[in-house]
Each structure stands twice: as structure tokens, then as C-alpha cells.
Amino acid sequence: MEHFRFIINLAALFWLCFHAMAKLEDRRYSMSCENGVCWRPDDEGPCEVDNDKPKLFRWEPIKKGYTRELELEPGKKYKMTTMANKPPIFEIRNFLSPEECEQIKNLATGKGLHTSIVHFDEHLLEKRKNIEGHAEGAASSFGSWDKNQDLSITKDEFMHFAVNYKYAYLTEEDVDNMINKLKLKEMDDGKVTLQEFSTFPTASIDSYINVLKQYHPRHKERYSNQAWLPHGRSADPVIRRLRERIKVLTRLPEEIIRGSEPLQVVRYDENGHYNGHYDSQSITAHPRDYKCCHTTVASTPHCRLCRYATVLYYLNDVEEGGETAFPAADNETYREEDLVKNVTGDVFNLLQNCHKARLVVPPEKGKAILWYNHFVDEDTGFMGERDDYTIHGGCGVTKGYKWVANNWITAPDLENIDYKSSFDDDATTT
């Protein structure tokens, strides 16, 4: 009898242990952070650590298409949907009301939109005709120009050379303008022969294309106008209300939201774009003594951007184009050098290659998208290394115009936890 009772008790103990472990595993699955920061329910906000500095909160993507319902204001709920897992990218439609969108645009217009390009001077191109001789590198080789190897170079082959060797997307009109401005007599009959190539001024052409890329709106890395709106105590009520909404959405501490950058409002006109880029900067790629640029101890330009997360708002419906593209989203084997090798031309030129990206988000008035530019450091709970999967950009506006606004949420890594933000109304130098 005693032996039987022992077996019953042992079985019961085994059953209890088994179910306890199962619950623990469920808890690990449902409450863990992707980067192993800590275990917590999604909506409990930041964990507290021994040094009284709150760890950073980060929404788990769960899976693409997963939707949460969040109460961001009393009695008002919003749906947040996962658009990508790597990096975690979330969409919240109707995050801003139509009235809020209009007020933000009005505030930016009143503040004064400043162009993010310099004035393009056509005389810069005309001066290229004075450069003689052959360029160095690929431009000096006839084979680089003669795509079909028929011993002549046509306008189409001009454009092909520009894409493959200069990452410049020229139209036929661009080529005609170049021929006229540089007085390329070799092109009088519409082609350059191998014999004519000996006097063909490739150095002049190479310099001309470089000027186009550096100064011409359609060929620049970025073409837009912008204004910055403060979000502190003196800010417009709409901006202050938005800041409170962001605090609830991100579950980040008050001091981090308060110390984040002013709201950047951007207008893109036709052909407006912003090629592939990162919002933040790598920790390990910079010297250790470089402080976060938003802190009161930073020394510009010897600092680095520490933008933990980005919240992007669309302030209008765009007639055509103007999407936001993430070329590397959910590409498990992504390496930047491989992506560049596998695509003809410049894959990060989103004026041309927008729809080759893995994720393309169409603009929609009032919509917000949230993503994390950095991981959370597993050991400290503070900001970790940059997530290179966050490379993104603004596709070209092909018709109409586009208004967006950016909330860049700054945060400290371990080296910067004791420094206040220069954007914080209550900040004091440490």
C-alpha cells in the first residue's frame, strides 16, 4: 500500500512539474523580448533595472499581419498591424485625424519650409566642356560604353553607361542636353565610333554626370523641403497632444519622449524623393568617445545619431508615387553588398527602383508607421547596435506632392545614459 501511495505521489509531482514547465515556456514565448531584454506582457511598458534607469520597450512583431488593438487615448482605440518582422515595422491607420494633419502642415508652412537641396546652376554644366582628355577608370574604356560590342556608342549606350558605372539615371533629354552643352561633335551623326573615341572627352562627360548627381534635383540623393516643429512646453496643442499619444504607443519613459528631436515636417514635390538611407548611426562604426548628438555634451560634428525608433506620419494622400520602401525587410539573407551586386544600377535609388524593395508602404493621410532603428542591448536593456535591415527611403513622387512628418525618438546606449537631451525642456548639462 505504501509503495502504491509513493507511486501516486510521484506521478502527481511529475504532473505538477510538467505543467509548471509548460506554463513557464508559454510565458517565455508570450512575454519575451526579441533581444532577450526581459519577460513582460506587451502593454506593461519598460522594465526597471537595478540602477533605476528604465530599460527600453520594444513591441514584438509576432508575425506579419498580426493586429493589436491599443487604447492610446481615453476611450479611443487604434489598430496596430505588423508589416514586417525583420526589422519590426508596424502600421497604424488613422493615427492622426484629418484636422491634425492640416494643422501640422499649416504650422510647418508658417514656420517656413527650407529646401534640402541647393539651387541648381545650369552654368555648372556648361563649364564641363572646358575639361579635356579621357577620364580615369571605366569611362576611359571604349568597352565600358559599347554595350552591344558593335564598335559604336549610341545615346542608349550613354544611358546604360551612366546607370552601370555612375549610378545615374539619365533620360534621352538629359543626354541631348549633355551633347549640346559639351559640344560633343563626335555625336553629330548619333554615334561615336572606335576611331572617334580617341578624341572623345570622357573626362568632361564624367565630370558633367557628377555635377548632375550632386546638384540636379532629380538626380540628388534627396529632393525635398522641410521644417522643424518643437514639441516642448511652448509647442502647439496639436503637437503636445501628439507627443502624449506617442508616449503611450511606444511605452517609453517620459524623459526619453520629452528629450527626442523636434518634429520634422517634409514636403516632396514632383520628382521629390529620398534614396535608401538609415535614420540612425552605428555605435561600433564610430569612435567610442563620440557622444549621441542629441545630448548636451555632444560636440558636432564629432557625434553620432542615436535614434532608437522612428514614427513616420503621412499628412496627405498622394496622387501617384511617394511610397516608403524598405529594400531589406524580411530578407533573412540580407547583406548590403549582395543586394547591390544582384541589381543593375543602384538599388537604393528609390526614384527608379522603388518597387524592387521587399516592403513598399503606400502613403495614406493620417497613417503612421513605426519601426526600431536599433536593437536593445541584451545585457543592459539600453540602446544596442543599429539594425541594418532598417535601410529605407522615400520613393519618387510622380504626380502631385507628398507631406510627411518624422518623430525621431532618441535614446541612450550604455555610454550615454547619464547625459541629458538638449531637446528636453528640463535638461541640464551633466
Side-chain angles (χ1 to χ4, degrees):
M1 187 69 179
E2 288 296 323
H3 180 69
F4 179 74
R5 186 177 295 113
F6 173 77
I7 292 174
I8 294 295
N9 289 338
L10 186 62
L13 180 62
F14 177 80
W15 184 88
L16 289 172
C17 289
F18 175 81
H19 282 275
M21 288 299 293
K23 287 182 179 180
L24 180 59
E25 287 303 309
D26 287 343
R27 180 177 174 80
R28 289 174 67 97
Y29 177 79
S30 62
M31 301 172 68
S32 67
C33 302
E34 184 181 72
N35 300 292
V37 175
C38 55
W39 299 349
R40 57 176 184 259
D42 277 339
D43 57 356
E44 283 191 0
C47 301
E48 296 294 329
V49 292
D50 294 341
N51 62 1
D52 293 328
K53 295 285 185 179
K55 290 187 176 183
L56 296 175
F57 181 78
R58 174 181 167 113
W59 285 107
E60 296 299 334
I62 309 298
K63 63 179 180 179
K64 189 174 180 178
Y66 182 80
T67 299
R68 296 174 169 90
E69 192 171 75
L70 307 174
E71 186 171 343
L72 304 182
E73 294 174 317
K76 189 170 183 180
K77 294 184 177 180
Y78 299 77
K79 290 184 178 180
M80 183 171 76
T81 302
T82 300
M83 304 191 75
N85 294 303
K86 192 173 184 180
I89 303 172
F90 306 94
E91 174 188 75
I92 309 114
R93 300 178 71 181
N94 299 312
F95 188 81
L96 296 176
S97 69
E99 294 76 20
E100 288 172 328
C101 291
E102 294 306 311
Q103 178 64 356
I104 292 172
K105 289 190 288 184
N106 289 338
L107 290 169
T109 302
K111 182 94 173 174
L113 290 163
H114 299 284
T115 182
S116 60
I117 65 167
V118 296
H119 173 67
F120 181 62
D121 186 353
E122 290 284 344
H123 294 294
L124 288 172
L125 296 177
E126 292 178 359
K127 291 177 182 177
R128 305 303 105 182
K129 70 175 183 284
N130 299 320
I131 302 174
E132 299 179 347
H134 278 303
E136 295 181 355
S140 65
S141 170
F142 185 83
S144 300
W145 296 81
D146 186 16
K147 178 187 175 185
N148 60 6
Q149 299 182 354
D150 65 349
L151 301 182
S152 65
I153 304 168
T154 63
K155 290 181 185 179
D156 285 343
E157 288 171 319
F158 266 70
M159 292 186 278
H160 181 266
F161 171 85
V163 169
N164 280 273
Y165 294 100
K166 305 297 291 183
Y167 288 168
Y169 293 81
L170 306 184
T171 64
E172 188 170 347
E173 182 182 0
D174 290 330
V175 175
D176 286 337
N177 287 337
M178 178 167 60
I179 291 170
N180 292 330
K181 289 183 184 300
L182 300 185
K183 301 187 183 305
L184 302 178
K185 62 182 184 301
E186 294 87 352
M187 284 294 293
D188 286 349
D189 60 352
K191 62 183 179 181
V192 180
T193 65
L194 180 59
Q195 183 178 1
E196 290 172 328
F197 190 76
S198 62
T199 60
F200 194 50
T202 55
S204 175
I205 295 168
D206 192 63
S207 179
Y208 183 102
I209 296 174
N210 288 339
V211 169
L212 274 183
K213 287 187 64 178
Q214 185 174 0
Y215 297 109
H216 194 285
R218 187 161 51 80
H219 297 286
K220 281 180 61 67
E221 289 296 302
R222 184 177 191 181
Y223 175 33
S224 62
N225 299 281
Q226 60 188 13
W228 298 86
L229 302 179
H231 57 73
R233 289 174 293 187
S234 61
D236 183 88
V238 166
I239 305 299
R240 292 202 307 270
R241 190 162 62 245
L242 177 59
R243 188 172 81 171
E244 288 302 308
R245 199 177 305 158
I246 287 297
K247 183 172 71 173
V248 180
L249 170 67
T250 61
R251 309 294 197 254
L252 291 170
E254 167 75 25
E255 64 184 86
I256 285 181
I257 300 300
R258 197 175 63 226
S260 292
E261 295 182 37
L263 185 70
Q264 184 202 43
V265 184
V266 185
R267 176 183 164 121
Y268 295 90
D269 293 318
E270 195 164 314
N271 287 321
H273 63 279
Y274 194 178
N275 288 341
H277 64 281
Y278 298 104
D279 280 353
S280 195
Q281 293 180 306
S282 167
I283 296 173
T284 55
H286 289 77
R288 189 170 180 178
D289 61 345
Y290 272 41
K291 305 302 182 186
C292 290
C293 293
H294 70 276
T295 62
T296 55
V297 296
S299 176
T300 306
H302 303 296
C303 61
R304 56 184 166 80
L305 295 174
C306 299
R307 295 165 171 171
Y308 172 58
T310 296
V311 187
L312 170 67
Y313 315 103
Y314 299 101
L315 304 179
N316 74 310
D317 294 313
V318 182
E319 287 187 69
E320 287 182 15
E323 302 93 338
T324 303
F326 293 83
D330 284 335
N331 182 349
E332 292 294 334
T333 60
Y334 167 68
R335 291 195 315 162
E336 185 173 313
E337 55 268 33
D338 290 341
L339 192 63
V340 172
K341 286 178 186 176
N342 292 334
V343 179
T344 300
D346 183 3
V347 69
F348 302 121
N349 183 324
L350 296 177
L351 189 62
Q352 299 292 329
N353 292 317
C354 173
H355 290 280
K356 293 179 181 177
R358 302 277 298 208
L359 175 64
V360 179
V361 183
E364 177 185 309
K365 187 173 183 176
K367 181 166 69 178
I369 51 176
L370 159 69
W371 68 89
Y372 297 96
N373 299 303
H374 285 260
F375 297 108
V376 175
D377 186 277
E378 295 181 1
D379 297 322
T380 67
F382 303 124
M383 194 173 74
E385 189 50 82
R386 187 185 68 194
D387 184 350
D388 288 347
Y389 279 74
T390 59
I391 190 164
H392 66 284
C395 300
V397 176
T398 54
K399 187 177 181 182
Y401 55 88
K402 178 177 79 168
W403 284 88
V404 296
N406 290 294
N407 256 146
W408 284 312
I409 300 171
T410 56
D413 55 25
L414 185 60
E415 300 292 330
N416 288 268
I417 58 174
D418 293 323
Y419 304 129
K420 296 291 185 181
S421 170
S422 60
F423 300 117
D424 190 337
D425 282 349
D426 301 323
T428 55
T429 304
T430 301

